[in-house]
Amino acid sequence: MLKHKIKKGDNVQVMSGKDRGHQGRVLAVIPTDDRLIIEGVNMVKRHVKLRAARGGRQGQEGGIINQEAPIHISNVQLICPSCGPTRVGYRLLDDGAKQRICRKCGGEV
């Protein structure tokens, strides 16, 4: 299993596939499958069964809902605030901590 350079909450751009060019925020990272769930990207229709309320719990409404499906991590690039989509590198700080940097401009991501 590889260490992923993209984390939850990052802004990314889809570089290939049906949603090429779309940008969004990472909602979840699935490291075992090398996949991400990105807000508003790779939308699929899910058929949800009606569930009745029981024991004081809220019931679930049935019907067809739209939700995000996972997308492979290799199809996205992190967005640098100053220069746009870029690859990610690391810089070691004086205290030994790692800092993610933009490969284009060298700025902090």
XYZ file of all heavy atoms in Angstrom:
832
model
N 0.849 -1.179 0.000
C 0.000 0.000 0.000
C 0.895 1.244 0.000
O 1.819 1.352 0.782
C -0.915 -0.012 1.225
C -1.948 1.054 1.193
S -3.306 0.800 2.331
C -2.545 0.997 3.892
N 0.616 2.175 -0.904
C 1.409 3.386 -1.040
C 0.888 4.502 -0.158
O -0.294 4.538 0.193
C 1.370 3.860 -2.493
C 1.958 2.934 -3.533
C 1.675 3.470 -4.913
C 3.448 2.797 -3.328
N 1.785 5.416 0.177
C 1.374 6.622 0.896
C 0.792 7.592 -0.124
O 1.383 7.816 -1.166
C 2.578 7.256 1.575
C 2.215 8.552 2.259
C 3.227 8.911 3.275
C 2.988 10.212 3.953
N 1.815 10.938 3.719
N -0.371 8.123 0.175
C -1.029 9.020 -0.754
C -0.716 10.470 -0.423
O -0.688 10.861 0.738
C -2.532 8.786 -0.755
C -2.885 7.410 -1.198
N -2.627 6.952 -2.466
C -3.445 6.385 -0.548
C -3.030 5.714 -2.577
N -3.523 5.328 -1.417
N -0.501 11.271 -1.457
C -0.139 12.673 -1.278
C -1.356 13.575 -1.245
O -1.242 14.769 -1.038
C 0.802 13.105 -2.404
C 2.099 12.316 -2.385
C 3.012 12.703 -3.499
C 4.300 11.905 -3.411
N 5.259 12.299 -4.423
N -2.536 13.011 -1.462
C -3.780 13.782 -1.430
C -4.550 13.382 -0.184
O -4.689 12.200 0.118
C -4.603 13.537 -2.707
C -3.819 14.038 -3.916
C -5.954 14.212 -2.619
C -4.469 13.761 -5.235
N -5.045 14.368 0.532
C -5.704 14.120 1.804
C -7.135 14.683 1.787
O -7.491 15.461 0.915
C -4.914 14.784 2.927
C -3.448 14.387 2.942
C -2.852 14.514 4.294
C -1.411 14.065 4.328
N -1.168 12.758 3.802
N -7.918 14.274 2.771
C -9.294 14.745 2.913
C -9.288 16.266 3.077
O -8.486 16.821 3.820
C -9.918 14.090 4.145
C -11.347 14.473 4.394
C -11.869 13.741 5.610
C -13.268 14.183 5.939
N -13.795 13.491 7.118
N -10.177 16.941 2.341
C -10.288 18.389 2.427
C -9.493 19.137 1.364
O -9.662 20.338 1.202
N -8.615 18.437 0.613
C -7.845 19.081 -0.449
C -8.735 19.409 -1.638
O -9.723 18.719 -1.890
C -6.727 18.157 -0.952
C -5.572 18.036 0.029
O -5.462 18.900 0.917
O -4.793 17.095 -0.114
N -8.369 20.452 -2.389
C -9.039 20.758 -3.644
C -8.266 20.083 -4.766
O -7.047 20.235 -4.858
C -9.096 22.267 -3.874
C -10.105 22.922 -2.969
O -11.175 22.387 -2.740
N -9.770 24.070 -2.445
N -8.978 19.332 -5.606
C -8.344 18.585 -6.686
C -9.080 18.840 -7.997
O -10.227 19.295 -8.006
C -8.308 17.068 -6.394
C -7.432 16.757 -5.204
C -9.697 16.500 -6.203
N -8.417 18.519 -9.106
C -9.017 18.604 -10.430
C -8.909 17.237 -11.089
O -7.868 16.582 -11.008
C -8.305 19.646 -11.286
C -8.905 19.762 -12.676
C -8.359 20.954 -13.442
O -7.802 21.870 -12.865
N -8.525 20.932 -14.739
N -10.000 16.808 -11.740
C -10.014 15.531 -12.442
C -9.302 15.715 -13.782
O -9.627 16.614 -14.549
C -11.463 15.031 -12.650
C -11.477 13.717 -13.397
C -12.174 14.900 -11.316
N -8.315 14.857 -14.063
C -7.493 14.989 -15.255
C -7.916 14.041 -16.375
O -7.549 14.252 -17.530
C -6.023 14.732 -14.915
C -5.489 15.671 -13.835
S -5.788 17.404 -14.129
C -4.592 17.725 -15.387
N -8.661 12.980 -16.067
C -9.098 12.064 -17.117
C -10.418 11.420 -16.712
O -10.778 11.400 -15.544
C -8.030 10.990 -17.363
O -7.875 10.192 -16.218
N -11.111 10.903 -17.720
C -12.398 10.264 -17.473
C -13.552 11.157 -17.878
O -13.378 12.219 -18.456
N -14.764 10.722 -17.538
C -15.959 11.442 -17.983
C -16.101 12.806 -17.315
O -16.780 13.673 -17.835
C -17.212 10.601 -17.741
C -17.559 10.415 -16.282
C -18.851 9.654 -16.097
C -19.239 9.621 -14.642
N -20.519 9.009 -14.407
N -15.472 13.014 -16.173
C -15.564 14.283 -15.454
C -14.296 15.116 -15.587
O -13.989 15.930 -14.716
C -15.860 14.021 -13.973
C -17.263 13.499 -13.753
O -18.182 14.050 -14.389
O -17.450 12.556 -12.976
N -13.552 14.940 -16.680
C -12.307 15.684 -16.893
C -12.551 17.186 -16.794
O -13.508 17.719 -17.351
C -11.741 15.368 -18.264
C -10.548 16.239 -18.634
C -10.160 16.062 -20.055
N -9.401 14.834 -20.177
C -9.188 14.201 -21.313
N -9.698 14.664 -22.430
N -8.482 13.111 -21.342
N -11.684 17.868 -16.045
C -11.785 19.316 -15.898
C -12.568 19.764 -14.687
O -12.447 20.912 -14.268
N -13.369 18.880 -14.095
C -14.141 19.262 -12.909
C -13.218 19.390 -11.705
O -12.253 18.645 -11.559
C -15.218 18.219 -12.599
C -16.373 18.277 -13.523
N -16.429 17.561 -14.694
C -17.529 18.968 -13.462
C -17.564 17.809 -15.304
N -18.252 18.675 -14.580
N -13.559 20.346 -10.839
C -12.800 20.541 -9.615
C -13.719 20.315 -8.433
O -14.926 20.541 -8.518
C -12.229 21.957 -9.547
C -11.215 22.243 -10.617
C -10.639 23.643 -10.511
O -11.065 24.435 -9.684
N -9.675 23.937 -11.359
N -13.151 19.861 -7.327
C -13.946 19.641 -6.133
C -13.079 19.367 -4.929
O -11.863 19.208 -5.031
N -13.738 19.289 -3.785
C -13.059 19.028 -2.516
C -13.132 17.537 -2.217
O -14.154 16.886 -2.453
C -13.771 19.818 -1.407
C -13.098 19.801 -0.070
C -13.761 20.789 0.880
N -15.205 20.675 0.908
C -15.875 19.881 1.729
N -15.244 19.139 2.601
N -17.192 19.838 1.684
N -12.043 16.972 -1.692
C -11.993 15.550 -1.357
C -12.811 15.328 -0.089
O -12.541 15.916 0.955
C -10.537 15.080 -1.156
C -10.508 13.623 -0.723
C -9.731 15.273 -2.424
N -13.838 14.471 -0.198
C -14.694 14.163 0.940
C -14.160 12.983 1.740
O -14.317 12.927 2.956
C -16.118 13.847 0.469
C -16.840 14.959 -0.273
C -18.194 14.475 -0.759
C -17.007 16.169 0.630
N -13.547 12.019 1.040
C -13.027 10.822 1.710
C -11.919 10.212 0.878
O -11.921 10.324 -0.351
C -14.141 9.807 1.923
N -10.979 9.561 1.565
C -9.895 8.832 0.911
C -10.063 7.368 1.285
O -10.268 7.035 2.459
C -8.513 9.347 1.370
C -7.402 8.550 0.721
C -8.364 10.819 1.058
N -10.002 6.483 0.279
C -10.097 5.044 0.503
C -8.734 4.450 0.154
O -8.495 4.065 -0.997
C -11.225 4.421 -0.351
C -12.530 5.183 -0.130
C -11.390 2.942 -0.027
C -13.611 4.866 -1.117
N -7.794 4.396 1.111
C -6.417 4.014 0.796
C -6.254 2.564 0.348
O -5.351 2.270 -0.429
C -5.663 4.280 2.094
C -6.682 4.327 3.156
C -7.960 4.747 2.508
N -7.125 1.669 0.783
C -6.975 0.262 0.398
C -7.240 0.042 -1.084
O -6.677 -0.867 -1.688
C -7.927 -0.634 1.215
O -9.260 -0.132 1.069
C -7.533 -0.628 2.681
N -8.093 0.892 -1.692
C -8.425 0.764 -3.110
C -7.810 1.860 -3.965
O -8.082 1.928 -5.165
C -9.951 0.799 -3.306
C -10.646 -0.365 -2.627
O -9.998 -1.416 -2.463
O -11.822 -0.235 -2.276
N -6.995 2.749 -3.372
C -6.394 3.891 -4.071
C -7.461 4.766 -4.725
O -7.330 5.178 -5.875
C -5.384 3.432 -5.135
C -4.219 2.677 -4.535
O -3.894 2.939 -3.369
O -3.634 1.837 -5.226
N -8.521 5.063 -4.007
C -9.633 5.838 -4.554
C -10.001 7.002 -3.648
O -9.692 7.008 -2.462
C -10.848 4.944 -4.772
C -10.600 3.928 -5.860
C -11.812 3.071 -6.152
N -11.536 2.236 -7.299
C -11.747 2.597 -8.556
N -12.261 3.772 -8.829
N -11.462 1.778 -9.544
N -10.668 7.997 -4.260
C -11.133 9.191 -3.559
C -12.608 9.398 -3.841
O -13.098 9.021 -4.904
C -10.403 10.435 -4.067
C -8.896 10.474 -4.078
C -8.430 11.668 -4.882
C -8.370 10.562 -2.673
N -13.300 10.055 -2.926
C -14.645 10.535 -3.187
C -14.555 12.054 -3.206
O -14.108 12.666 -2.236
C -15.644 10.041 -2.130
C -15.734 8.521 -2.189
C -17.007 10.680 -2.351
C -16.652 7.911 -1.174
N -14.942 12.649 -4.348
C -14.803 14.084 -4.557
C -16.186 14.701 -4.689
O -17.050 14.170 -5.389
C -13.967 14.368 -5.822
C -12.618 13.674 -5.701
C -13.802 15.860 -6.032
C -11.829 13.666 -6.970
N -16.373 15.832 -4.037
C -17.662 16.515 -4.003
C -18.108 16.918 -5.405
O -17.403 17.640 -6.112
C -17.509 17.755 -3.123
C -18.784 18.476 -2.814
C -18.551 19.602 -1.831
O -17.519 20.287 -1.922
O -19.407 19.789 -0.972
N -19.268 16.412 -5.842
C -19.854 16.780 -7.130
C -19.236 16.115 -8.344
O -19.559 16.482 -9.469
N -18.367 15.131 -8.152
C -17.692 14.463 -9.267
C -18.063 12.984 -9.271
O -18.200 12.368 -8.217
C -16.157 14.619 -9.140
C -15.433 13.822 -10.202
C -15.776 16.078 -9.231
N -18.226 12.403 -10.469
C -18.557 10.987 -10.658
C -19.882 10.652 -9.967
O -19.972 9.716 -9.178
C -17.429 10.097 -10.142
C -17.510 8.694 -10.693
O -18.156 8.445 -11.712
N -16.864 7.753 -10.031
N -20.906 11.419 -10.293
C -22.222 11.224 -9.690
C -22.910 10.001 -10.296
O -22.881 9.792 -11.502
C -23.095 12.460 -9.906
C -22.532 13.731 -9.296
S -22.340 13.659 -7.529
C -24.023 13.784 -6.990
N -23.504 9.184 -9.427
C -24.247 8.000 -9.854
C -25.619 8.025 -9.196
O -25.814 8.666 -8.167
C -23.508 6.689 -9.488
C -22.210 6.572 -10.250
C -23.266 6.580 -7.999
N -26.560 7.331 -9.821
C -27.906 7.239 -9.249
C -27.980 5.970 -8.398
O -27.571 4.908 -8.833
C -28.952 7.192 -10.353
C -29.040 8.499 -11.109
C -30.296 8.558 -11.937
C -30.386 9.834 -12.723
N -30.582 11.006 -11.900
N -28.486 6.124 -7.195
C -28.592 5.010 -6.267
C -30.069 4.816 -5.936
O -30.754 5.769 -5.580
C -27.794 5.323 -5.009
C -27.844 4.313 -3.930
C -26.908 3.161 -4.125
N -25.536 3.622 -4.218
C -24.585 2.945 -4.850
N -24.876 1.824 -5.451
N -23.369 3.396 -4.898
N -30.564 3.581 -6.057
C -31.949 3.276 -5.715
C -31.999 2.895 -4.240
O -31.367 1.925 -3.822
C -32.473 2.132 -6.585
C -32.584 2.509 -8.019
N -31.497 2.658 -8.839
C -33.664 2.805 -8.774
C -31.904 3.009 -10.053
N -33.217 3.110 -10.034
N -32.748 3.677 -3.467
C -32.793 3.496 -2.017
C -34.166 2.986 -1.626
O -35.192 3.519 -2.052
C -32.496 4.829 -1.299
C -32.558 4.660 0.208
C -31.131 5.351 -1.713
N -34.163 1.952 -0.799
C -35.397 1.350 -0.340
C -35.979 2.147 0.826
O -35.232 2.659 1.664
C -35.097 -0.077 0.119
C -36.292 -0.951 0.314
C -35.825 -2.356 0.609
C -36.959 -3.330 0.528
N -36.517 -4.703 0.788
N -37.296 2.249 0.872
C -37.988 2.941 1.952
C -37.798 2.160 3.250
O -37.968 0.946 3.286
C -39.483 3.048 1.630
C -40.370 3.645 2.702
C -40.036 5.108 2.890
C -41.821 3.466 2.346
N -37.405 2.857 4.307
C -37.252 2.220 5.617
C -38.145 2.957 6.604
O -38.063 4.178 6.742
C -35.806 2.289 6.091
C -34.895 1.448 5.252
C -33.483 1.525 5.784
N -32.572 0.851 4.889
C -32.045 -0.328 5.137
N -32.341 -0.963 6.240
N -31.206 -0.876 4.278
N -38.980 2.200 7.286
C -39.916 2.783 8.239
C -39.196 3.145 9.534
O -38.197 2.523 9.900
C -41.042 1.802 8.530
N -39.714 4.141 10.242
C -39.143 4.542 11.524
C -39.529 3.520 12.579
O -40.681 3.093 12.664
C -39.660 5.922 11.899
N -38.528 3.109 13.378
C -38.784 2.140 14.451
C -38.083 2.579 15.719
O -36.958 3.058 15.669
C -38.209 0.777 14.078
C -39.095 -0.012 13.200
C -38.596 -1.430 13.162
N -38.732 -1.895 11.785
C -38.006 -2.829 11.253
N -37.065 -3.401 11.928
N -38.205 -3.195 10.009
N -38.734 2.395 16.854
C -38.100 2.635 18.146
C -37.565 4.041 18.334
O -36.504 4.216 18.912
N -38.272 5.023 17.813
C -37.838 6.401 17.973
C -36.790 6.842 16.970
O -36.332 7.973 17.010
N -36.375 5.932 16.071
C -35.384 6.304 15.053
C -36.064 6.920 13.848
O -37.208 6.608 13.537
C -34.584 5.079 14.607
C -33.463 4.753 15.581
C -32.492 3.817 14.963
N -32.885 2.456 15.322
C -32.613 1.399 14.591
N -31.956 1.513 13.481
N -32.991 0.212 14.983
N -35.339 7.758 13.154
C -35.844 8.424 11.959
C -35.889 7.415 10.806
O -34.956 6.649 10.615
C -34.901 9.584 11.607
C -35.373 10.461 10.491
C -36.482 11.402 10.923
O -36.736 11.560 12.104
N -37.136 12.014 9.972
N -36.944 7.436 10.018
C -37.044 6.572 8.859
C -36.270 7.142 7.684
O -35.879 8.306 7.680
N -36.024 6.296 6.666
C -35.304 6.743 5.476
C -36.277 6.782 4.308
O -37.026 5.844 4.075
C -34.149 5.794 5.169
C -33.307 6.241 4.008
C -32.146 5.285 3.772
O -32.046 4.246 4.400
N -31.301 5.638 2.848
N -36.247 7.884 3.586
C -37.130 8.062 2.449
C -36.629 7.222 1.271
O -35.432 7.148 1.026
C -37.164 9.535 2.069
C -38.255 9.888 1.091
C -38.319 11.384 0.847
O -38.135 12.137 1.809
O -38.556 11.761 -0.305
N -37.539 6.601 0.564
C -37.161 5.788 -0.583
C -37.125 6.611 -1.854
O -37.583 7.743 -1.897
N -36.543 6.048 -2.905
C -36.498 6.728 -4.187
C -35.132 6.624 -4.827
O -34.303 5.811 -4.443
N -34.892 7.479 -5.808
C -33.619 7.495 -6.525
C -32.852 8.742 -6.093
O -33.357 9.847 -6.209
C -33.843 7.498 -8.048
C -34.640 6.262 -8.454
C -32.522 7.551 -8.786
C -35.074 6.258 -9.892
N -31.649 8.540 -5.582
C -30.832 9.658 -5.133
C -29.534 9.714 -5.943
O -29.089 8.701 -6.479
C -30.500 9.575 -3.623
C -29.705 8.311 -3.308
C -31.744 9.659 -2.785
C -29.114 8.281 -1.926
N -28.960 10.899 -6.044
C -27.655 11.071 -6.681
C -26.600 11.127 -5.592
O -26.778 11.826 -4.591
C -27.598 12.377 -7.485
C -28.328 12.268 -8.790
O -28.359 11.213 -9.404
N -28.929 13.354 -9.218
N -25.505 10.399 -5.779
C -24.412 10.465 -4.828
C -23.080 10.267 -5.541
O -23.046 9.786 -6.667
C -24.579 9.463 -3.697
C -24.299 8.022 -4.063
C -24.502 7.099 -2.883
O -25.605 7.010 -2.378
N -23.466 6.433 -2.476
N -22.010 10.678 -4.875
C -20.677 10.574 -5.457
C -20.168 9.144 -5.349
O -20.339 8.498 -4.324
C -19.696 11.505 -4.721
C -19.994 12.969 -4.879
C -20.867 13.544 -3.786
O -21.342 12.777 -2.933
O -21.093 14.758 -3.802
N -19.528 8.673 -6.420
C -18.882 7.368 -6.419
C -17.369 7.590 -6.383
O -16.882 8.647 -6.782
C -19.273 6.580 -7.669
N -16.614 6.601 -5.906
C -15.155 6.761 -5.835
C -14.517 6.878 -7.212
O -15.010 6.328 -8.196
C -14.683 5.481 -5.143
C -15.876 4.947 -4.450
C -17.055 5.359 -5.267
N -13.399 7.613 -7.276
C -12.622 7.790 -8.496
C -11.176 7.449 -8.148
O -10.734 7.679 -7.022
C -12.776 9.227 -9.044
C -12.114 9.372 -10.391
C -12.254 10.249 -8.077
C -12.436 10.688 -11.080
N -10.431 6.868 -9.094
C -9.065 6.449 -8.805
C -8.165 7.657 -8.582
O -8.285 8.678 -9.267
C -8.516 5.579 -9.937
C -7.354 4.748 -9.513
N -6.067 5.192 -9.627
C -7.289 3.526 -8.936
C -5.244 4.268 -9.155
N -5.968 3.240 -8.727
N -7.257 7.522 -7.650
C -6.392 8.639 -7.244
C -5.456 9.084 -8.360
O -5.026 10.226 -8.408
C -5.618 8.259 -5.965
C -5.121 9.493 -5.249
C -4.497 7.291 -6.263
C -4.677 9.252 -3.836
N -5.167 8.189 -9.311
C -4.262 8.545 -10.410
C -4.919 9.468 -11.427
O -4.237 10.045 -12.265
C -3.770 7.286 -11.121
O -4.842 6.648 -11.787
N -6.229 9.635 -11.356
C -6.948 10.475 -12.314
C -7.138 11.910 -11.843
O -7.830 12.684 -12.492
C -8.325 9.873 -12.610
C -8.214 8.551 -13.317
O -7.249 8.310 -14.043
N -9.175 7.678 -13.101
N -6.551 12.268 -10.698
C -6.719 13.620 -10.171
C -5.361 14.247 -9.861
O -4.364 13.547 -9.681
C -7.598 13.642 -8.896
C -8.974 13.110 -9.171
C -6.955 12.900 -7.761
N -5.341 15.595 -9.837
C -4.163 16.337 -9.414
C -4.580 17.378 -8.393
O -5.661 17.970 -8.499
C -3.486 17.040 -10.593
C -2.572 16.146 -11.371
C -1.703 16.935 -12.350
O -2.069 18.012 -12.794
N -0.569 16.363 -12.687
N -3.706 17.606 -7.429
C -3.930 18.598 -6.406
C -3.872 19.996 -7.019
O -3.093 20.237 -7.940
C -2.854 18.463 -5.327
C -3.057 19.244 -4.052
C -4.264 18.714 -3.292
C -1.827 19.140 -3.180
N -4.699 20.915 -6.527
C -4.712 22.280 -7.040
C -3.901 23.160 -6.098
O -4.221 23.286 -4.915
C -6.149 22.813 -7.169
C -6.909 21.987 -8.175
C -6.135 24.288 -7.567
C -8.354 22.361 -8.306
N -2.840 23.770 -6.643
C -2.028 24.739 -5.899
C -2.795 26.068 -5.906
O -3.320 26.469 -6.941
C -0.667 24.899 -6.567
S 0.369 26.177 -5.837
N -2.876 26.770 -4.775
C -3.613 28.039 -4.741
C -3.071 29.095 -5.700
O -3.814 29.941 -6.174
C -3.457 28.510 -3.292
C -3.068 27.304 -2.516
C -2.374 26.381 -3.460
N -1.774 29.030 -6.018
C -1.196 30.077 -6.867
C -1.062 29.685 -8.331
O -1.125 30.545 -9.203
C 0.167 30.494 -6.323
O 1.046 29.390 -6.297
N -0.848 28.387 -8.640
C -0.573 28.051 -10.044
C -1.469 26.973 -10.638
O -1.257 26.584 -11.778
C 0.900 27.677 -10.215
S 1.421 26.276 -9.227
N -2.464 26.465 -9.932
C -3.398 25.502 -10.503
C -2.988 24.060 -10.275
O -2.234 23.752 -9.358
N -3.477 23.120 -11.129
C -3.182 21.701 -10.934
C -1.679 21.419 -11.021
O -1.008 21.904 -11.922
C -3.913 21.014 -12.085
C -4.903 21.993 -12.567
C -4.359 23.342 -12.264
N -1.179 20.638 -10.080
C 0.244 20.377 -10.023
C 0.523 19.043 -9.344
O -0.350 18.464 -8.702
C 0.967 21.501 -9.249
O 2.359 21.269 -9.300
C 0.525 21.557 -7.817
N 1.758 18.584 -9.499
C 2.208 17.419 -8.752
C 2.624 17.875 -7.360
O 2.847 19.047 -7.118
C 3.389 16.751 -9.472
C 2.956 16.118 -10.778
C 4.129 15.543 -11.534
N 5.056 16.605 -11.916
C 6.369 16.537 -11.751
N 6.928 15.495 -11.204
N 7.135 17.542 -12.142
N 2.730 16.915 -6.453
C 3.032 17.228 -5.064
C 4.407 16.695 -4.711
O 4.775 15.591 -5.079
C 1.981 16.597 -4.112
C 2.258 16.953 -2.675
C 0.596 17.033 -4.498
N 5.178 17.506 -3.989
C 6.467 17.078 -3.471
C 6.506 17.328 -1.982
O 5.548 17.813 -1.384
N 7.635 16.996 -1.361
C 7.795 17.201 0.072
C 9.071 17.970 0.353
O 10.050 17.869 -0.377
C 7.854 15.856 0.811
C 6.518 15.168 0.881
C 6.201 14.135 0.006
C 5.565 15.541 1.814
C 4.980 13.500 0.064
C 4.344 14.908 1.877
C 4.058 13.885 1.004
O 2.845 13.273 1.066
N 9.044 18.752 1.413
C 10.220 19.464 1.891
C 10.346 19.145 3.376
O 9.356 19.170 4.108
C 10.024 20.971 1.689
C 11.143 21.818 2.245
C 10.830 23.308 2.161
N 10.579 23.705 0.773
C 9.700 24.633 0.413
N 8.977 25.257 1.326
N 9.534 24.943 -0.857
N 11.556 18.824 3.821
C 11.791 18.584 5.234
C 12.072 19.913 5.926
O 12.917 20.691 5.477
C 12.978 17.643 5.430
C 12.709 16.172 5.162
C 13.991 15.374 5.267
C 11.684 15.632 6.129
N 11.359 20.170 7.002
C 11.554 21.389 7.772
C 12.678 21.182 8.789
O 13.145 20.060 9.007
C 10.254 21.778 8.477
C 9.055 22.032 7.559
C 7.822 22.330 8.382
C 9.349 23.168 6.603
N 13.111 22.244 9.418
C 14.213 22.182 10.378
C 13.903 21.288 11.574
O 14.794 20.657 12.128
C 14.559 23.592 10.881
C 15.129 24.454 9.769
O 15.694 23.874 8.814
O 15.008 25.691 9.854
N 12.622 21.246 11.971
C 12.252 20.412 13.120
C 12.015 18.956 12.736
O 11.609 18.150 13.565
C 11.021 20.991 13.818
C 9.803 21.051 12.912
O 9.942 20.762 11.709
O 8.714 21.390 13.421
N 12.256 18.588 11.463
C 12.125 17.199 11.011
C 10.765 16.856 10.439
O 10.553 15.735 9.977
N 9.824 17.800 10.447
C 8.483 17.545 9.915
C 8.492 17.682 8.394
O 9.326 18.390 7.823
C 7.491 18.527 10.516
N 7.568 16.975 7.743
C 7.422 17.065 6.288
C 6.374 18.110 5.950
O 5.362 18.232 6.646
C 6.954 15.733 5.717
C 8.031 14.747 5.414
C 7.393 13.561 4.726
C 8.391 12.522 4.354
N 7.740 11.390 3.689
N 6.592 18.813 4.852
C 5.637 19.808 4.380
C 5.372 19.540 2.905
O 6.316 19.349 2.133
C 6.216 21.203 4.569
C 5.321 22.308 4.108
C 5.995 23.659 4.271
O 7.176 23.795 4.008
N 5.235 24.639 4.709
N 4.108 19.505 2.505
C 3.773 19.300 1.092
C 4.023 20.585 0.320
O 3.633 21.658 0.769
C 2.314 18.874 0.937
C 2.042 17.499 1.484
C 0.655 17.009 1.147
N -0.365 17.933 1.634
C -1.627 17.894 1.259
N -2.042 16.992 0.410
N -2.493 18.754 1.741
N 4.639 20.453 -0.857
C 4.922 21.625 -1.685
C 4.456 21.389 -3.114
O 4.298 20.250 -3.550
C 6.434 21.975 -1.686
C 7.263 20.832 -2.268
C 6.907 22.354 -0.311
C 8.680 21.218 -2.606
N 4.254 22.493 -3.823
C 3.892 22.471 -5.240
C 5.161 22.244 -6.046
O 6.181 22.868 -5.797
C 3.262 23.816 -5.608
S 3.041 24.065 -7.359
N 5.123 21.361 -7.038
C 6.293 21.079 -7.866
C 6.539 22.175 -8.900
O 7.639 22.290 -9.434
C 6.128 19.745 -8.586
C 6.286 18.548 -7.703
C 7.722 18.354 -7.375
N 7.903 17.024 -6.807
C 9.043 16.590 -6.365
N 10.107 17.363 -6.391
N 9.133 15.392 -5.861
N 5.525 22.983 -9.211
C 5.703 24.061 -10.194
C 6.360 25.293 -9.569
O 7.369 25.779 -10.033
C 4.352 24.467 -10.794
C 3.805 23.504 -11.804
C 2.511 24.062 -12.378
C 1.850 23.080 -13.317
N 0.549 23.567 -13.768
N 5.731 25.799 -8.494
C 6.201 27.058 -7.921
C 6.983 26.897 -6.630
O 7.616 27.840 -6.166
C 5.016 28.009 -7.694
S 3.851 27.446 -6.441
N 6.953 25.709 -6.030
C 7.687 25.474 -4.794
C 6.986 25.972 -3.551
O 7.528 25.888 -2.446
N 5.766 26.511 -3.714
C 5.018 27.038 -2.568
C 4.357 25.938 -1.742
O 4.210 24.808 -2.196
N 3.956 26.302 -0.546
C 3.284 25.350 0.323
C 1.862 25.083 -0.180
O 1.175 25.987 -0.626
C 3.211 25.935 1.737
C 2.554 25.025 2.745
C 2.446 25.663 4.109
O 3.120 26.669 4.356
O 1.643 25.154 4.913
N 1.462 23.831 -0.104
C 0.122 23.448 -0.561
C -0.786 23.330 0.651
O -0.441 22.767 1.630
C 0.141 22.106 -1.330
C -1.248 21.697 -1.727
C 1.017 22.226 -2.538
